[in-house]
């Protein structure tokens, strides 16, 4: 059975984050996470809250229960990104048109 710490470790590995970087980001001392993992310990609520705040794509349900998927609904993120790209392309076209009206200095 997978524990909360093992699921967090799975996420860290998936994202390619070094454990020392992860520990520093959530405010725990170097080696703490690895030690807790090896001893099959638990993680405090304050640290769990930090993790979920700092890594917003991580599903809290998955971390706590193992149910669902590791990452939050990435499809909606991808749709948002694509929508923003469309807006940027439209703005670039508008800028190109407006730049034609700028007098050229000689």
């Amino acid at each position: 059975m997978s524990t909360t710490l093992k699921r967090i470790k799975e996420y860290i590995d998936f994202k390619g984050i070094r454990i020392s970087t992860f520990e520093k980001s959530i405010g725990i001392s170097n080696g703490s996470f690895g030690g807790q993992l090896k001893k099959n310990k638990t993680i405090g609520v304050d640290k769990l809250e930090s993790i979920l705040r700092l890594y917003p794509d991580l599903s809290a349900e998955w971390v706590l229960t193992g149910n669902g998927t590791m990452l939050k609904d990435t499809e909606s993120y991808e749709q948002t990104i694509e929508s923003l790209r469309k807006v940027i392309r439209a703005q670039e076209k508008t800028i190109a048109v407006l730049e034609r009206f700028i007098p050229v200095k000689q």
Side-chain angles (χ1 to χ4, degrees), residues 3-14:
T3 66
T4 300
L5 284 176
K6 287 179 183 175
R7 285 189 288 275
I8 293 169
K9 173 70 166 85
E10 185 178 337
Y11 172 79
I12 292 168
D13 292 343
F14 175 79

Side-chain angles (χ1 to χ4, degrees), residues 62-80:
W62 179 80
V63 169
L64 294 171
T65 66
N67 295 329
T69 59
M70 177 192 314
L71 302 177
K72 289 182 181 175
D73 184 9
T74 56
E75 186 175 313
S76 65
Y77 289 129
E78 291 168 1
Q79 290 172 347
T80 301

Side-chain angles (χ1 to χ4, degrees), residues 19-20 23 28-36:
I19 289 181
S20 60
E23 289 170 329
I28 61 175
S29 61
N30 193 21
S32 293
F33 182 80
Q36 288 175 310

Side-chain angles (χ1 to χ4, degrees), residues 10-70:
E10 185 178 337
Y11 172 79
I12 292 168
D13 292 343
F14 175 79
K15 292 298 241 178
I17 302 168
R18 292 179 44 215
I19 289 181
S20 60
T21 302
F22 178 78
E23 289 170 329
K24 190 179 292 186
S25 74
I26 64 169
I28 61 175
S29 61
N30 193 21
S32 293
F33 182 80
Q36 288 175 310
L37 190 60
K38 286 178 187 175
K39 295 175 185 172
N40 206 22
K41 299 260 182 163
T42 60
I43 189 165
V45 173
D46 58 330
K47 297 305 174 199
L48 188 55
E49 287 175 347
S50 292
I51 292 167
L52 294 172
R53 189 174 48 256
L54 292 167
Y55 301 94
D57 62 334
L58 180 58
S59 167
E61 179 183 4
W62 179 80
V63 169
L64 294 171
T65 66
N67 295 329
T69 59
M70 177 192 314

